[in-house]
Amino acid sequence: MKLGRNDPCWCGSGKKYKTCHRAFDEKIEEYRLRGAKVPDHKLIKTPFQIEKIKESAKINVAVLDEVAEKIRIGMSTEEIDRIVYDTTTKMGGIPAPLHYQGYPKSVCTSLNDQVCHGIPAEDIILKDGDIVNVDCSTNLNGYFSDSSRMFMLGDVEEKTRRLVEVTKESMEKGLEATKPWGFLGDMGQAVHDHAYANGYTIVREIGGHGVGLEFHEDPWVGYHSKAGTEMLLVPGVMFTIEPMVNMGKVEIYMDDKNGWTTYTQDGLPSAQWEIQVLVTEDGAEVISW
């Protein structure tokens, strides 16, 4: 619905549209008329929504901090799941993955050649030399946060350690390229170029996503895009940067038995770091990490 100059602004500020977001909307329209893909208002978080999402993110970060403190060689991934569930619920949240589209656990724990969506279990024991991604997502009163970290256990091979480090660097390159009135493709190419320059590949089929009011929102976030393409980034847009970087070839496959866990086709390790990012007036703010 088109707003009049003196109507209350759509952002909930209580100000008149003409003194709040009218110029902002007109700028977005200029990009649309030039052929750019632009976000609609439902993808632009209001100040009230942002504060609520940040409250959710406090839990998300605290949960991963708790995992970082307790993770060790010899523990089962089921123990990680219990840490995530207990810490999240004690702080008033709900683990977003639990029962999401039938997913059975509170967190994803992906080891070595598992690209993502590893399901915790009592008989999966962390061993010396393993790398594991712990992907944590939190629902607090209907506001969502999402991030993941890599953990290296004991004596990890140097080539595997380097994969983990470059994956984090690639994510950070993407963050640096995330700017207001730039494009999602700017971020994607920055991630892509750093990973491939170091001899790695990035999974094509699975990427990041919008997040905040739902667990997964538009836009879908890939890392094979070109600068100047994909959706226009404007203040208030929120999404995850989470490249899944393979040591070997790009091909992957899903476990037919559980319908979730995804592996590298060649059996070589894969790494992933994930941050939740808010586009701001002058750059980007990391909401969860």
Side-chain angles (χ1 to χ4, degrees), residues 78-139:
E78 182 69 28
E79 289 179 71
I80 297 174
D81 188 75
R82 285 196 291 270
I83 291 169
V84 170
Y85 180 85
D86 290 346
T87 307
T88 303
T89 55
K90 284 177 183 177
M91 295 183 72
I94 300 169
L98 187 59
H99 307 312
Y100 176 76
Q101 296 184 352
Y103 187 77
K105 296 293 182 176
S106 297
V107 68
C108 297
T109 51
S110 304
L111 278 76
N112 302 324
D113 65 333
Q114 294 178 341
V115 173
C116 62
H117 303 154
I119 300 175
E122 290 285 6
D123 61 353
I124 301 175
I125 307 300
L126 300 181
K127 300 178 178 64
D128 183 39
D130 281 345
I131 61 171
V132 58
N133 177 265
V134 179
D135 191 346
C136 179
S137 310
T138 305
N139 173 1

Side-chain angles (χ1 to χ4, degrees), residues 8 13 24 37 41 45 54 61-62 75 77 83 85 90 98 104 106 119 133 135 146 154 215 226 232 239 255 258 261:
S13 66
F24 175 86
K37 181 180 180 181
H41 288 166
K45 306 300 186 286
K54 285 183 176 180
V61 173
M75 78 185 303
T77 54
I83 291 169
Y85 180 85
K90 284 177 183 177
L98 187 59
S106 297
I119 300 175
N133 177 265
D135 191 346
D146 189 8
F215 189 1
K226 296 295 184 182
L232 178 71
F239 59 93
D255 186 328
N258 67 37
T261 308

Side-chain angles (χ1 to χ4, degrees), residues 165-179:
E165 292 169 349
V166 170
T167 302
K168 187 175 185 181
E169 292 168 3
S170 299
M171 178 195 69
E172 291 167 345
K173 294 289 186 182
L175 177 63
E176 291 172 8
T178 301
K179 298 177 181 178

Side-chain angles (χ1 to χ4, degrees), residues 4-59:
R5 289 167 49 84
N6 293 313
D7 288 337
C9 187
W10 55 264
C11 75
S13 66
K15 298 177 182 178
K16 291 182 179 181
Y17 180 52
K18 65 182 180 182
T19 59
C20 195
H21 273 88
R22 184 185 179 197
F24 175 86
D25 284 348
E26 288 174 346
K27 187 172 182 178
I28 292 176
E29 179 64 9
E30 289 175 6
Y31 277 91
R32 189 189 70 79
L33 291 173
R34 297 204 297 264
K37 181 180 180 181
V38 302
D40 57 28
H41 288 166
K42 71 180 181 180
L43 296 184
I44 302 171
K45 306 300 186 286
T46 68
F48 175 82
Q49 291 167 342
I50 290 168
E51 288 308 308
K52 292 296 184 181
I53 295 166
K54 285 183 176 180
E55 291 175 11
S56 174
K58 288 178 183 177
I59 298 176

Side-chain angles (χ1 to χ4, degrees), residues 132-244:
V132 58
N133 177 265
V134 179
D135 191 346
C136 179
S137 310
T138 305
N139 173 1
L140 179 64
N141 301 321
Y143 295 93
F144 293 84
S145 51
D146 189 8
S147 59
S148 79
R149 300 180 196 173
M150 291 297 300
F151 297 96
M152 295 184 282
L153 298 157
D155 187 17
V156 175
E157 289 186 13
E158 181 56 35
K159 62 181 180 179
T160 305
R161 186 175 295 275
R162 181 63 181 152
L163 170 69
V164 173
E165 292 169 349
V166 170
T167 302
K168 187 175 185 181
E169 292 168 3
S170 299
M171 178 195 69
E172 291 167 345
K173 294 289 186 182
L175 177 63
E176 291 172 8
T178 301
K179 298 177 181 178
W181 311 105
F183 292 89
L184 196 57
D186 304 345
M187 181 281 302
Q189 182 167 352
V191 172
H192 177 279
D193 288 356
H194 189 72
Y196 277 76
N198 282 275
Y200 304 124
T201 62
I202 301 179
V203 171
R204 296 175 181 272
E205 298 90 337
I206 309 170
H209 52 89
V211 62
L213 305 185
E214 297 178 23
F215 189 1
H216 295 93
E217 307 172 6
D218 288 335
W220 187 82
V221 179
Y223 311 100
H224 291 268
S225 52
K226 296 295 184 182
T229 68
E230 304 293 336
M231 192 181 77
L232 178 71
L233 298 179
V234 304
V237 166
M238 189 179 289
F239 59 93
T240 65
I241 302 176
E242 50 175 313
M244 300 169 197

